[in-house]
Coordinates of all heavy atoms in Angstrom, one line a residue:
M1 N 20.3 -4.1 -1.8 CA 20.2 -3.4 -0.5 C 18.7 -3.0 -0.3 O 18.1 -2.5 -1.3 CB 21.1 -2.1 -0.5 CG 20.9 -1.3 0.7 SD 21.8 0.3 0.8 CE 23.4 -0.1 0.4
T2 N 18.2 -3.2 0.8 CA 16.9 -2.8 1.2 C 16.9 -1.5 2.0 O 17.7 -1.5 3.0 CB 16.1 -4.0 2.0 OG1 16.2 -5.1 1.2 CG2 14.7 -3.6 2.2
I3 N 16.1 -0.6 1.7 CA 16.0 0.7 2.4 C 14.6 1.0 2.8 O 13.7 0.8 2.1 CB 16.6 1.8 1.5 CG1 18.0 1.6 1.1 CG2 16.4 3.2 2.2 CD1 18.5 2.6 0.1
Y4 N 14.5 1.5 4.1 CA 13.2 1.9 4.6 C 13.3 3.3 5.1 O 14.5 3.8 5.6 CB 12.8 1.0 5.8 CG 12.7 -0.4 5.5 CD1 13.8 -1.3 5.8 CD2 11.6 -1.0 5.0 CE1 13.7 -2.7 5.5 CE2 11.4 -2.3 4.7 CZ 12.5 -3.2 4.9 OH 12.4 -4.5 4.6
R5 N 12.3 4.0 5.1 CA 12.3 5.4 5.7 C 11.0 5.6 6.4 O 9.9 5.2 6.0 CB 12.4 6.4 4.5 CG 12.4 7.8 5.0 CD 12.7 8.8 3.9 NE 12.7 10.2 4.4 CZ 11.7 11.0 4.3 NH1 10.6 10.6 3.7 NH2 11.8 12.2 4.8
Q6 N 11.1 6.1 7.6 CA 10.0 6.4 8.4 C 10.2 7.8 9.0 O 11.0 8.0 9.9 CB 9.8 5.4 9.6 CG 8.5 5.6 10.4 CD 8.4 4.8 11.6 OE1 9.2 4.9 12.5 NE2 7.5 3.8 11.6
G7 N 9.5 8.8 8.4 CA 9.8 10.2 8.7 C 11.2 10.6 8.5 O 11.7 10.4 7.3
D8 N 11.9 11.0 9.5 CA 13.3 11.5 9.3 C 14.3 10.4 9.6 O 15.5 10.7 9.7 CB 13.5 12.7 10.2 CG 13.3 12.5 11.6 OD1 12.6 11.5 12.0 OD2 13.8 13.3 12.5
V9 N 13.9 9.2 9.7 CA 14.8 8.1 10.0 C 15.0 7.2 8.8 O 14.0 6.7 8.2 CB 14.3 7.2 11.2 CG1 15.2 6.0 11.4 CG2 14.2 8.1 12.5
L10 N 16.2 7.0 8.3 CA 16.5 6.1 7.2 C 17.2 4.8 7.7 O 18.1 4.9 8.5 CB 17.5 6.8 6.3 CG 18.0 6.1 5.0 CD1 16.8 5.9 4.1 CD2 19.1 6.8 4.4
I11 N 16.7 3.7 7.3 CA 17.2 2.4 7.7 C 17.6 1.6 6.5 O 16.8 1.3 5.6 CB 16.1 1.6 8.5 CG1 15.6 2.5 9.7 CG2 16.6 0.3 9.0 CD1 14.2 2.2 10.1
E12 N 18.9 1.2 6.4 CA 19.4 0.5 5.3 C 19.9 -0.9 5.8 O 20.7 -1.0 6.7 CB 20.6 1.2 4.8 CG 20.4 2.6 4.4 CD 21.7 3.3 4.1 OE1 22.2 3.3 2.9 OE2 22.2 4.0 5.0
R13 N 19.3 -1.9 5.2 CA 19.8 -3.3 5.5 C 21.2 -3.5 4.9 O 21.4 -3.2 3.7 CB 18.8 -4.3 5.0 CG 19.2 -5.7 5.5 CD 18.1 -6.7 5.2 NE 18.6 -7.9 5.8 CZ 17.8 -9.0 6.0 NH1 16.5 -8.9 5.6 NH2 18.3 -10.1 6.4
I14 N 22.1 -4.0 5.7 CA 23.5 -4.2 5.2 C 23.9 -5.6 5.6 O 23.2 -6.3 6.4 CB 24.5 -3.2 5.8 CG1 24.5 -3.2 7.4 CG2 24.1 -1.8 5.4 CD1 25.5 -2.3 8.0
E15 N 25.0 -6.1 5.0 CA 25.5 -7.4 5.3 C 25.9 -7.5 6.8 O 26.7 -6.6 7.3 CB 26.7 -7.8 4.4 CG 27.1 -9.2 4.6 CD 28.1 -9.6 3.5 OE1 28.1 -9.0 2.5 OE2 29.0 -10.5 3.8
D16 N 25.5 -8.5 7.5 CA 25.9 -8.7 8.9 C 27.1 -9.5 9.0 O 27.2 -10.7 8.8 CB 24.7 -9.4 9.6 CG 24.9 -9.3 11.1 OD1 26.0 -8.9 11.6 OD2 23.9 -9.6 11.8
S17 N 28.2 -8.8 9.4 CA 29.5 -9.5 9.5 C 29.8 -9.9 11.0 O 30.8 -10.3 11.4 CB 30.7 -8.5 9.1 OG 30.6 -7.3 10.0
G18 N 28.7 -9.7 11.8 CA 28.8 -10.1 13.2 C 29.4 -9.0 14.1 O 29.7 -9.2 15.3
Q19 N 29.6 -7.8 13.5 CA 30.2 -6.7 14.3 C 29.3 -6.3 15.5 O 28.1 -6.5 15.4 CB 30.5 -5.5 13.4 CG 29.2 -4.8 12.9 CD 29.5 -3.6 12.0 OE1 30.7 -3.2 11.9 NE2 28.5 -3.0 11.4
T20 N 30.0 -5.8 16.5 CA 29.2 -5.3 17.6 C 29.9 -4.0 18.0 O 31.0 -3.7 17.6 CB 29.2 -6.2 18.8 OG1 30.5 -6.6 19.2 CG2 28.4 -7.5 18.5
G21 N 29.3 -3.2 18.9 CA 29.9 -2.0 19.3 C 29.4 -1.6 20.7 O 29.0 -2.5 21.5
K22 N 29.3 -0.3 21.0 CA 28.8 0.2 22.3 C 27.3 0.1 22.2 O 26.6 0.7 21.4 CB 29.3 1.6 22.5 CG 28.9 2.1 23.8 CD 29.4 3.5 24.0 CE 28.8 4.0 25.4 NZ 29.1 5.4 25.6
A23 N 26.7 -0.7 23.2 CA 25.3 -0.8 23.2 C 24.6 0.5 23.6 O 25.1 1.3 24.4 CB 24.9 -1.8 24.3
I24 N 23.5 0.8 22.9 CA 22.6 1.9 23.3 C 21.5 1.4 24.1 O 20.8 0.5 23.7 CB 22.1 2.6 22.0 CG1 23.3 3.2 21.2 CG2 21.1 3.8 22.4 CD1 22.9 3.8 19.8
P25 N 21.3 1.9 25.3 CA 20.3 1.3 26.2 C 18.9 1.6 25.7 O 18.6 2.5 25.0 CB 20.5 2.0 27.5 CG 21.3 3.2 27.3 CD 22.0 3.0 26.0
R26 N 18.0 0.7 26.1 CA 16.6 0.8 25.8 C 15.9 1.9 26.7 O 16.5 2.2 27.8 CB 15.8 -0.5 26.1 CG 16.2 -1.6 25.1 CD 15.6 -2.9 25.5 NE 15.9 -3.9 24.5 CZ 15.0 -4.3 23.5 NH1 13.8 -3.7 23.4 NH2 15.4 -5.1 22.6
E27 N 14.8 2.4 26.2 CA 14.1 3.5 27.0 C 12.7 2.9 27.3 O 11.9 2.6 26.3 CB 13.9 4.7 26.2 CG 15.3 5.4 25.9 CD 15.1 6.7 25.1 OE1 14.1 7.3 25.2 OE2 16.1 7.1 24.4
N28 N 12.4 2.7 28.5 CA 11.1 2.0 28.9 C 10.9 0.7 28.2 O 9.8 0.5 27.7 CB 10.0 3.0 28.7 CG 10.1 4.3 29.6 OD1 10.5 4.2 30.7 ND2 9.8 5.4 29.0
G29 N 11.9 -0.1 28.0 CA 11.8 -1.3 27.4 C 11.8 -1.3 25.8 O 11.8 -2.4 25.2
R30 N 11.9 -0.2 25.2 CA 11.9 0.0 23.8 C 13.2 0.4 23.3 O 13.9 1.2 24.0 CB 10.8 1.0 23.3 CG 9.5 0.7 23.7 CD 8.5 1.8 23.2 NE 8.9 3.1 23.5 CZ 8.5 4.2 22.9 NH1 7.5 4.1 22.0 NH2 8.9 5.4 23.2
I31 N 13.6 0.0 22.0 CA 14.7 0.6 21.3 C 14.2 1.9 20.7 O 13.2 1.7 19.8 CB 15.3 -0.4 20.3 CG1 16.0 -1.6 21.0 CG2 16.2 0.3 19.4 CD1 16.5 -2.6 20.1
V32 N 14.8 3.0 21.0 CA 14.3 4.2 20.4 C 15.4 4.7 19.3 O 16.5 5.0 19.7 CB 14.1 5.3 21.4 CG1 13.7 6.7 20.8 CG2 13.0 4.9 22.4
L33 N 15.0 4.7 18.1 CA 15.9 5.2 17.0 C 16.0 6.7 17.0 O 17.1 7.2 16.7 CB 15.5 4.6 15.7 CG 15.4 3.1 15.5 CD1 15.0 2.8 14.1 CD2 16.6 2.4 16.0
A34 N 14.9 7.4 17.3 CA 15.0 8.9 17.3 C 13.7 9.4 18.0 O 12.6 8.8 17.9 CB 15.0 9.4 15.8
H35 N 13.9 10.5 18.6 CA 12.8 11.2 19.2 C 12.4 12.4 18.3 O 13.2 13.1 17.7 CB 13.1 11.8 20.6 CG 13.3 10.8 21.6 ND1 12.2 10.2 22.3 CD2 14.4 10.3 22.2 CE1 12.7 9.4 23.2 NE2 14.0 9.4 23.1
G36 N 11.1 12.6 18.1 CA 10.6 13.8 17.4 C 10.8 15.1 18.2 O 10.4 15.1 19.4
E37 N 11.4 16.1 17.6 CA 11.6 17.3 18.4 C 10.3 18.1 18.5 O 10.1 18.8 19.5 CB 12.6 18.3 17.6 CG 14.0 17.8 17.6 CD 14.2 16.8 16.4 OE1 13.3 16.7 15.6 OE2 15.3 16.1 16.4
V38 N 9.4 18.0 17.6 CA 8.1 18.8 17.6 C 7.1 18.2 18.5 O 6.5 18.8 19.3 CB 7.6 19.0 16.2 CG1 6.3 19.7 16.2 CG2 8.6 19.7 15.3
T39 N 6.9 16.8 18.3 CA 5.8 16.2 19.1 C 6.2 15.4 20.3 O 5.4 15.1 21.1 CB 5.0 15.2 18.1 OG1 6.0 14.2 17.7 CG2 4.5 15.9 16.9
G40 N 7.5 15.0 20.3 CA 8.0 14.2 21.4 C 7.7 12.7 21.2 O 8.1 11.9 22.0
H41 N 7.1 12.4 20.1 CA 6.9 11.0 19.7 C 8.2 10.3 19.4 O 9.2 11.0 19.1 CB 5.9 10.8 18.5 CG 4.6 11.3 18.8 ND1 3.7 11.8 17.8 CD2 3.9 11.5 20.0 CE1 2.6 12.2 18.4 NE2 2.6 12.0 19.7
A42 N 8.2 9.0 19.4 CA 9.5 8.3 19.1 C 9.4 7.2 18.0 O 8.3 6.6 17.9 CB 10.0 7.6 20.4
H43 N 10.5 7.1 17.2 CA 10.6 6.0 16.3 C 11.1 4.8 17.1 O 12.3 4.9 17.6 CB 11.5 6.3 15.1 CG 11.1 7.5 14.4 ND1 10.3 7.4 13.3 CD2 11.4 8.8 14.5 CE1 10.0 8.6 12.8 NE2 10.7 9.5 13.5
A44 N 10.3 3.8 17.4 CA 10.7 2.8 18.4 C 10.4 1.4 18.0 O 9.5 1.2 17.2 CB 10.1 3.1 19.7
I45 N 11.1 0.4 18.6 CA 10.9 -1.0 18.3 C 10.7 -1.6 19.7 O 11.6 -1.5 20.6 CB 12.1 -1.6 17.6 CG1 12.4 -0.9 16.3 CG2 12.0 -3.1 17.6 CD1 13.6 -1.3 15.6
A46 N 9.6 -2.3 19.9 CA 9.3 -2.8 21.2 C 9.8 -4.3 21.4 O 9.9 -4.7 22.5 CB 7.8 -2.8 21.4
T47 N 10.1 -5.0 20.3 CA 10.5 -6.4 20.5 C 11.8 -6.5 21.3 O 12.6 -5.7 21.2 CB 10.6 -7.1 19.1 OG1 11.0 -8.5 19.3 CG2 11.7 -6.4 18.3
K48 N 11.9 -7.6 22.0 CA 13.1 -7.9 22.7 C 14.2 -8.5 21.8 O 15.3 -8.6 22.2 CB 12.8 -8.8 23.9 CG 11.8 -8.2 24.9 CD 12.0 -8.5 26.3 CE 11.0 -7.9 27.2 NZ 11.0 -6.5 27.3
D49 N 13.8 -8.9 20.6 CA 14.7 -9.6 19.7 C 15.4 -8.6 18.8 O 15.4 -8.8 17.6 CB 13.9 -10.6 18.8 CG 13.4 -11.8 19.6 OD1 14.0 -12.1 20.6 OD2 12.4 -12.4 19.2
A50 N 16.0 -7.6 19.4 CA 16.7 -6.6 18.7 C 17.7 -5.9 19.6 O 17.5 -5.9 20.8 CB 15.7 -5.5 18.1
E51 N 18.8 -5.3 19.0 CA 19.7 -4.6 19.8 C 20.2 -3.3 18.9 O 20.3 -3.4 17.7 CB 20.9 -5.4 20.1 CG 21.6 -6.1 19.0 CD 22.7 -7.1 19.4 OE1 22.8 -7.5 20.6 OE2 23.4 -7.6 18.5
L52 N 20.5 -2.3 19.6 CA 21.0 -1.0 19.0 C 22.4 -0.8 19.5 O 22.6 -0.8 20.7 CB 20.0 0.1 19.3 CG 20.1 1.4 18.6 CD1 19.8 1.2 17.1 CD2 19.2 2.5 19.1
F53 N 23.3 -0.4 18.6 CA 24.6 -0.1 19.0 C 25.3 0.9 18.1 O 24.9 1.1 17.0 CB 25.5 -1.4 19.2 CG 25.6 -2.2 17.9 CD1 26.7 -2.0 17.1 CD2 24.6 -3.1 17.6 CE1 26.8 -2.8 15.9 CE2 24.8 -3.9 16.4 CZ 25.9 -3.7 15.6
T54 N 26.4 1.5 18.6 CA 27.2 2.4 17.8 C 28.6 1.8 17.5 O 29.2 1.1 18.3 CB 27.4 3.8 18.5 OG1 28.1 3.6 19.7 CG2 26.0 4.4 18.7
V55 N 29.1 2.2 16.3 CA 30.5 1.9 15.9 C 31.0 3.1 15.2 O 30.4 3.5 14.2 CB 30.6 0.6 15.0 CG1 32.0 0.4 14.5 CG2 30.1 -0.6 15.7
D56 N 32.1 3.7 15.7 CA 32.6 4.9 15.0 C 31.5 6.0 14.7 O 31.4 6.5 13.6 CB 33.3 4.5 13.8 CG 34.5 3.6 14.0 OD1 35.1 3.8 15.1 OD2 34.8 2.8 13.2
D57 N 30.7 6.3 15.7 CA 29.7 7.3 15.5 C 28.6 7.0 14.6 O 27.7 7.8 14.2 CB 30.3 8.7 15.2 CG 31.2 9.2 16.3 OD1 30.8 9.0 17.5 OD2 32.1 9.9 16.0
K58 N 28.5 5.8 14.1 CA 27.4 5.3 13.3 C 26.5 4.4 14.1 O 27.0 3.7 15.0 CB 27.9 4.5 12.1 CG 28.7 5.4 11.1 CD 29.2 4.7 9.9 CE 30.0 5.6 9.1 NZ 30.9 5.0 8.2
V59 N 25.2 4.4 13.8 CA 24.3 3.6 14.6 C 23.8 2.4 13.8 O 23.5 2.6 12.6 CB 23.0 4.5 15.0 CG1 22.0 3.7 15.8 CG2 23.5 5.7 15.8
F60 N 23.8 1.3 14.5 CA 23.3 0.0 13.8 C 22.2 -0.6 14.7 O 22.3 -0.6 15.9 CB 24.5 -0.9 13.7 CG 25.6 -0.4 12.8 CD1 26.7 0.4 13.3 CD2 25.5 -0.6 11.4 CE1 27.7 0.9 12.5 CE2 26.5 -0.1 10.6 CZ 27.6 0.6 11.1
L61 N 21.4 -1.3 14.0 CA 20.2 -2.0 14.6 C 20.4 -3.5 14.1 O 20.4 -3.7 12.9 CB 18.9 -1.4 14.2 CG 17.7 -2.2 14.5 CD1 17.5 -2.2 16.1 CD2 16.4 -1.7 13.8
R62 N 20.5 -4.4 15.0 CA 20.5 -5.8 14.7 C 19.1 -6.4 15.1 O 18.8 -6.4 16.3 CB 21.6 -6.6 15.3 CG 21.6 -8.0 15.0 CD 22.8 -8.8 15.5 NE 24.0 -8.5 14.6 CZ 25.0 -7.9 15.0 NH1 25.2 -7.5 16.3 NH2 26.0 -7.6 14.2
M63 N 18.4 -6.9 14.1 CA 17.1 -7.6 14.4 C 17.4 -9.1 14.5 O 17.9 -9.7 13.6 CB 16.2 -7.3 13.3 CG 15.7 -5.8 13.1 SD 14.9 -5.1 14.6 CE 13.5 -6.2 14.7
I64 N 17.2 -9.6 15.7 CA 17.4 -11.0 15.9 C 16.3 -11.8 15.4 O 16.4 -13.0 15.0 CB 17.8 -11.3 17.4 CG1 19.0 -10.5 17.8 CG2 17.9 -12.8 17.7 CD1 19.2 -10.2 19.2
G65 N 15.1 -11.2 15.5 CA 13.8 -11.8 15.0 C 13.1 -10.7 14.2 O 13.7 -9.6 14.0
V66 N 12.0 -11.0 13.7 CA 11.2 -9.9 13.0 C 10.6 -9.0 14.0 O 10.1 -9.4 15.1 CB 10.0 -10.6 12.2 CG1 9.2 -9.6 11.5 CG2 10.7 -11.5 11.1
G67 N 10.6 -7.7 13.7 CA 10.0 -6.7 14.6 C 9.4 -5.5 13.8 O 9.6 -5.4 12.6
E68 N 8.7 -4.7 14.5 CA 8.0 -3.5 13.9 C 8.6 -2.3 14.5 O 8.7 -2.0 15.7 CB 6.5 -3.6 14.2 CG 5.8 -4.7 13.5 CD 4.3 -4.7 13.7 OE1 3.9 -4.1 14.7 OE2 3.6 -5.3 12.9
L69 N 8.9 -1.3 13.5 CA 9.3 0.1 13.9 C 8.0 0.9 13.9 O 7.3 0.9 12.9 CB 10.3 0.6 12.9 CG 10.7 2.1 13.0 CD1 11.4 2.3 14.4 CD2 11.6 2.5 11.9
T70 N 7.7 1.5 15.0 CA 6.4 2.2 15.1 C 6.7 3.7 15.4 O 7.8 4.1 15.9 CB 5.5 1.7 16.2 OG1 6.2 1.7 17.5 CG2 5.2 0.2 15.9
H71 N 5.7 4.5 15.1 CA 5.8 5.9 15.4 C 4.3 6.4 15.3 O 3.5 5.9 14.5 CB 6.6 6.7 14.4 CG 6.8 8.2 14.7 ND1 5.8 9.1 14.4 CD2 7.8 8.9 15.3 CE1 6.2 10.3 14.8 NE2 7.4 10.2 15.3
E72 N 3.9 7.3 16.2 CA 2.5 7.7 16.3 C 1.9 8.3 15.1 O 0.8 8.3 14.8 CB 2.3 8.6 17.5 CG 2.5 7.9 18.8 CD 4.0 7.8 19.3 OE1 4.9 8.0 18.5 OE2 4.2 7.5 20.5
E73 N 2.8 8.9 14.2 CA 2.4 9.7 13.1 C 2.7 9.1 11.7 O 2.5 9.6 10.7 CB 2.9 11.1 13.1 CG 2.4 11.8 14.3 CD 3.1 13.2 14.5 OE1 4.1 13.4 14.0 OE2 2.4 14.1 15.2
H74 N 3.4 7.9 11.8 CA 3.8 7.2 10.5 C 3.3 5.8 10.5 O 3.0 5.2 11.5 CB 5.4 7.2 10.4 CG 6.0 8.6 10.5 ND1 5.8 9.5 9.4 CD2 6.7 9.2 11.4 CE1 6.5 10.6 9.7 NE2 7.0 10.5 10.9
G75 N 3.4 5.2 9.3 CA 3.0 3.8 9.1 C 4.0 2.9 9.8 O 5.2 3.3 9.9
V76 N 3.6 1.7 10.1 CA 4.5 0.7 10.8 C 5.4 0.2 9.7 O 5.0 -0.1 8.6 CB 3.7 -0.4 11.4 CG1 4.6 -1.6 11.8 CG2 2.8 0.1 12.5
V77 N 6.7 0.0 10.0 CA 7.7 -0.6 9.1 C 8.1 -2.0 9.8 O 8.5 -2.0 10.9 CB 8.9 0.3 9.0 CG1 10.0 -0.5 8.2 CG2 8.6 1.6 8.3
T78 N 7.9 -3.1 9.1 CA 8.2 -4.4 9.6 C 9.6 -4.6 9.1 O 10.0 -4.6 7.9 CB 7.3 -5.5 9.0 OG1 5.9 -5.1 9.4 CG2 7.7 -6.8 9.5
L79 N 10.5 -5.0 10.1 CA 11.9 -5.3 9.8 C 12.2 -6.7 10.0 O 11.9 -7.3 11.0 CB 12.8 -4.5 10.7 CG 12.7 -2.9 10.6 CD1 13.5 -2.2 11.7 CD2 13.2 -2.5 9.2
D80 N 12.8 -7.4 9.0 CA 13.2 -8.8 9.1 C 14.5 -8.9 9.8 O 15.2 -7.9 10.1 CB 13.3 -9.4 7.6 CG 12.0 -9.5 6.9 OD1 11.0 -9.7 7.5 OD2 12.0 -9.3 5.7
R81 N 14.8 -10.1 10.1 CA 16.0 -10.4 10.8 C 17.2 -9.9 10.0 O 17.2 -10.1 8.8 CB 16.2 -11.9 11.0 CG 17.3 -12.4 11.7 CD 17.3 -13.9 11.8 NE 18.6 -14.3 12.4 CZ 18.8 -15.5 12.9 NH1 18.0 -16.4 12.8 NH2 20.0 -15.8 13.4
G82 N 18.2 -9.3 10.6 CA 19.4 -8.8 9.9 C 20.0 -7.6 10.6 O 19.5 -7.2 11.6
L83 N 21.0 -7.0 9.9 CA 21.7 -5.8 10.4 C 21.3 -4.6 9.5 O 21.2 -4.7 8.3 CB 23.2 -6.0 10.4 CG 24.0 -4.9 11.0 CD1 23.8 -4.7 12.4 CD2 25.5 -5.1 10.7
Y84 N 21.0 -3.5 10.2 CA 20.6 -2.3 9.5 C 21.4 -1.1 10.0 O 21.8 -1.0 11.2 CB 19.1 -2.0 9.9 CG 18.2 -3.1 9.4 CD1 17.9 -4.2 10.2 CD2 17.5 -2.9 8.2 CE1 17.0 -5.2 9.7 CE2 16.7 -3.9 7.7 CZ 16.4 -5.0 8.6 OH 15.6 -6.0 8.1
R85 N 21.8 -0.2 9.1 CA 22.5 1.0 9.5 C 21.3 2.1 9.6 O 20.5 2.2 8.8 CB 23.4 1.5 8.4 CG 24.1 2.8 8.7 CD 25.2 3.2 7.8 NE 24.9 2.8 6.4 CZ 25.7 2.0 5.6 NH1 26.8 1.5 6.1 NH2 25.4 1.7 4.4
V86 N 21.3 2.8 10.8 CA 20.3 3.8 11.0 C 20.9 5.2 10.9 O 21.9 5.5 11.5 CB 19.7 3.6 12.5 CG1 18.7 4.7 12.8 CG2 19.2 2.2 12.7
T87 N 20.2 6.0 10.1 CA 20.7 7.4 9.8 C 19.5 8.4 10.0 O 18.4 8.2 9.6 CB 21.2 7.6 8.4 OG1 22.2 6.6 8.1 CG2 21.7 8.9 8.2
R88 N 19.8 9.4 10.8 CA 18.9 10.5 11.0 C 19.1 11.4 9.9 O 20.2 11.9 9.6 CB 19.2 11.2 12.4 CG 18.2 12.2 12.8 CD 16.9 11.6 13.3 NE 16.0 12.6 13.7 CZ 15.8 13.1 14.8 NH1 16.6 12.7 15.8 NH2 14.9 14.1 15.0
Q89 N 18.0 11.7 9.1 CA 18.1 12.6 7.9 C 18.4 14.0 8.4 O 17.9 14.4 9.4 CB 16.8 12.6 7.1 CG 16.5 11.1 6.6 CD 17.4 10.8 5.5 OE1 17.2 11.1 4.3 NE2 18.5 10.0 5.8
S90 N 19.2 14.7 7.6 CA 19.6 16.1 7.9 C 19.2 17.0 6.7 O 18.9 16.5 5.6 CB 21.0 16.3 8.2 OG 21.8 15.8 7.2
E91 N 19.1 18.2 7.0 CA 18.7 19.2 5.9 C 19.6 20.4 6.0 O 20.2 20.7 7.0 CB 17.2 19.6 6.1 CG 17.0 20.3 7.4 CD 15.5 20.6 7.6 OE1 14.7 20.4 6.6 OE2 15.1 21.1 8.6
Y92 N 19.8 21.0 4.8 CA 20.7 22.2 4.8 C 19.8 23.4 4.8 O 18.8 23.5 4.1 CB 21.5 22.2 3.5 CG 22.3 23.4 3.3 CD1 23.4 23.7 3.9 CD2 21.7 24.4 2.4 CE1 24.1 24.9 3.7 CE2 22.4 25.6 2.2 CZ 23.6 25.8 2.9 OH 24.3 27.0 2.7
T93 N 20.2 24.4 5.6 CA 19.6 25.7 5.6 C 20.8 26.7 5.4 O 21.9 26.3 5.8 CB 18.8 26.0 6.9 OG1 19.8 26.0 8.0 CG2 17.7 25.0 7.1
P94 N 20.6 27.9 5.0 CA 21.7 28.8 4.8 C 22.6 29.0 6.1 O 23.7 29.2 5.9 CB 21.0 30.1 4.4 CG 19.7 29.7 3.7 CD 19.3 28.4 4.5
G95 N 22.0 28.9 7.2 CA 22.7 29.1 8.4 C 23.4 27.9 9.0 O 24.3 28.0 9.8
E96 N 22.9 26.6 8.7 CA 23.4 25.4 9.3 C 22.9 24.2 8.6 O 21.9 24.2 7.9 CB 22.9 25.4 10.8 CG 21.4 25.3 10.9 CD 20.9 25.4 12.4 OE1 21.7 24.9 13.3 OE2 19.8 25.8 12.5
I97 N 23.5 23.1 9.0 CA 23.0 21.8 8.6 C 22.5 21.2 9.9 O 23.1 21.2 10.9 CB 24.2 20.9 8.1 CG1 24.7 21.4 6.8 CG2 23.6 19.4 7.8 CD1 25.9 20.7 6.2
R98 N 21.2 20.7 9.8 CA 20.5 20.3 11.1 C 19.7 19.0 10.8 O 19.4 18.7 9.6 CB 19.6 21.4 11.6 CG 18.5 21.8 10.6 CD 17.7 22.9 11.2 NE 16.6 23.2 10.2 CZ 16.1 24.3 10.1 NH1 16.4 25.3 10.9 NH2 15.1 24.5 9.2
N99 N 19.3 18.3 11.9 CA 18.5 17.2 11.7 C 17.1 17.7 11.2 O 16.7 18.7 11.6 CB 18.3 16.5 13.1 CG 19.5 15.7 13.4 OD1 20.4 15.3 12.6 ND2 19.7 15.3 14.7
V100 N 16.4 16.8 10.5 CA 15.1 17.1 10.0 C 14.2 17.1 11.2 O 14.2 16.2 12.0 CB 14.6 16.1 8.9 CG1 13.2 16.3 8.6 CG2 15.5 16.2 7.7
A101 N 13.3 18.1 11.4 CA 12.3 18.1 12.5 C 11.2 17.2 12.1 O 10.6 17.3 11.0 CB 11.9 19.5 12.8
D102 N 10.8 16.3 13.0 CA 9.7 15.3 12.8 C 8.7 15.5 13.9 O 9.0 15.6 15.0 CB 10.3 13.9 12.8 CG 9.3 12.9 12.4 OD1 8.3 13.2 11.7 OD2 9.5 11.7 12.8

């Protein structure tokens, strides 16, 4: 299994069984995996050779070709063709479990 992390976004390459789900629309032509709450920057993929969708409240990214995940404050992550599970990292505080602020 190949795992990538960019800030608070975890991306795990998984076996592609051809599954599809509910498409998540692009924002200004980009696939946005997460928005930063503090800066407003986004973890995004600009290539047209990718699709983002949900299945049972889980988010998946299918790379049809090679593409780059970019963010203004993190290094670029190059993603090969394949299927990836996308998870927003969370943290525990005494009062709640919440998404990590990026």
Side-chain angles (χ1 to χ4, degrees):
M1 178 186 303
T2 305
I3 298 175
Y4 301 96
R5 184 170 176 262
Q6 187 185 64
D8 58 341
V9 175
L10 179 70
I11 304 158
E12 303 168 87
R13 187 168 183 169
I14 60 175
E15 186 173 333
D16 192 347
S17 63
Q19 70 181 351
T20 60
K22 182 179 178 189
I24 298 174
R26 290 176 177 260
E27 296 180 27
N28 297 319
R30 304 181 306 165
I31 289 177
V32 175
L33 302 184
H35 289 281
E37 293 87 8
V38 177
T39 63
H41 296 156
H43 300 272
I45 298 169
T47 183
K48 300 216 182 294
D49 289 336
E51 58 187 10
L52 192 65
F53 59 94
T54 61
V55 175
D56 297 329
D57 295 325
K58 293 181 182 159
V59 178
F60 296 92
L61 171 68
R62 178 171 285 117
M63 297 298 299
I64 300 161
V66 175
E68 293 182 337
L69 174 62
T70 62
H71 185 279
E72 292 84 344
E73 297 172 340
H74 301 291
V76 172
V77 175
T78 301
L79 298 171
D80 291 326
R81 182 180 176 168
L83 183 66
Y84 299 84
R85 181 175 33 238
V86 179
T87 306
R88 185 78 182 268
Q89 298 289 274
S90 57
E91 63 186 353
Y92 172 80
T93 64
E96 64 184 329
I97 295 174
R98 62 181 182 207
N99 286 340
V100 173
D102 183 29

